[in-house]
Amino acid sequence: MIATIQPTNHKVLAFLELLASHLKLYETTDKGAYFHDQGQCFLEFVPLNLTGHAEDHFHSVHLQSMWVPPRYRGNGYARRALRTVMQCADEAGVVVLAIANPFELSKRGTTFYDDREVFLTAEGLYYPVDFRQKQAKQRERFAELRMKNVDVRIGDRQRVHRRDCFVYIPLEIDVSFRRRLGSRVIAARGLDKKKCE
């Protein structure tokens, strides 16, 4: 099932397969894969080219979205899932991009009752009233997990700025890719709390 994701290669496939050994893979499309951690945290990944070089499409994935249903929040499920993602990235040698761009999903007005369906369709997606506060909290969480701030232009530029984009760079990655990516990394040790606010 994972092999249907295009374009990709053995590194991205290895990462997704490793992740599927820790989290439940519940859907794949030609663009990406959807996982959940016992229904407590949902994640979507797509292959990504961070540097613009054709050969670099195979070294990175984008954590397109991550959602914890309201009843599970505040219990560390997102942090635990991110640690699993980082462990799999280390083993596969794949860079993971994550963006501080909080959203909410609602079952109201949809025909879905299952959290997996709600996340998969994103039909009830909306941005929270306290968007900036939640965004700062996400930036802080990424920085605490040793993710590095990176200069990429992705998503809605009204809400997402370069200070909101983070990468996890495993120690074992292609040297030339690391060099090309290095010019985009803004803060070698992530953001401090003052810069996150």
Side-chain angles (χ1 to χ4, degrees):
M1 241 166 54
I2 290 176
T4 61
I5 300 169
Q6 298 297 325
T8 192
N9 81 345
H10 68 280
K11 284 185 177 248
V12 171
L13 291 178
F15 167 77
L16 295 172
E17 287 169 1
L18 279 166
L19 200 56
S21 70
H22 296 279
L23 304 175
K24 172 82 172 144
L25 171 69
Y26 73 94
E27 183 74 31
T28 59
T29 67
D30 61 337
K31 292 184 173 64
Y34 295 83
F35 297 86
H36 71 85
D37 185 5
Q38 300 174 16
Q40 298 157 340
C41 184
F42 294 83
L43 305 102
E44 174 190 8
F45 289 91
V46 295
L48 177 71
N49 186 334
L50 268 173
T51 66
H53 289 77
E55 66 272 17
D56 291 346
H57 198 76
F58 308 123
H59 295 284
S60 40
V61 293
H62 179 193
L63 174 55
Q64 181 95 8
S65 53
M66 182 171 71
W67 177 64
V68 176
R71 68 185 171 280
Y72 296 119
R73 292 183 187 161
N75 294 306
Y77 295 120
R79 183 171 276 114
R80 184 177 73 190
L82 283 171
R83 284 191 179 121
T84 300
V85 166
M86 293 163 66
Q87 175 189 341
C88 293
D90 280 334
E91 290 181 44
V94 170
V95 171
V96 178
L97 172 73
I99 297 175
N101 188 21
F103 63 90
E104 296 290 345
L105 293 172
S106 172
K107 294 178 190 175
R108 269 187 299 221
T110 71
T111 58
F112 304 116
Y113 297 98
D114 185 276
D115 287 334
R116 291 174 300 178
E117 293 173 330
V118 170
F119 182 71
L120 187 63
T121 63
E123 195 174 296
L125 184 136
Y126 66 96
Y127 292 99
V129 174
D130 56 348
F131 177 83
R132 293 291 177 208
Q133 180 183 354
K134 288 185 177 188
Q135 190 177 43
K137 186 176 178 181
Q138 281 185 352
R139 286 194 300 262
E140 188 175 309
R141 179 183 300 129
F142 293 152
E144 285 171 1
L145 290 170
R146 298 183 331 270
M147 295 181 84
K148 295 169 177 57
N149 197 229
V150 67
D151 184 12
V152 294
R153 298 289 181 236
I154 198 163
D156 181 348
R157 292 187 186 184
Q158 296 297 320
R159 272 193 312 278
V160 177
H161 306 279
R162 73 181 191 184
R163 70 176 181 266
D164 304 318
C165 302
F166 289 80
V167 288
Y168 178 72
I169 304 172
L171 293 174
E172 301 294 323
I173 63 169
D174 180 75
V175 175
S176 58
F177 174 66
R178 182 182 287 276
R179 230 178 281 124
R180 286 188 295 274
L181 183 61
S183 65
R184 293 179 173 266
V185 174
I186 297 168
R189 297 190 179 174
L191 295 179
D192 63 42
K193 291 182 181 181
K194 290 177 186 171
K195 290 182 182 176
C196 287
E197 294 172 355

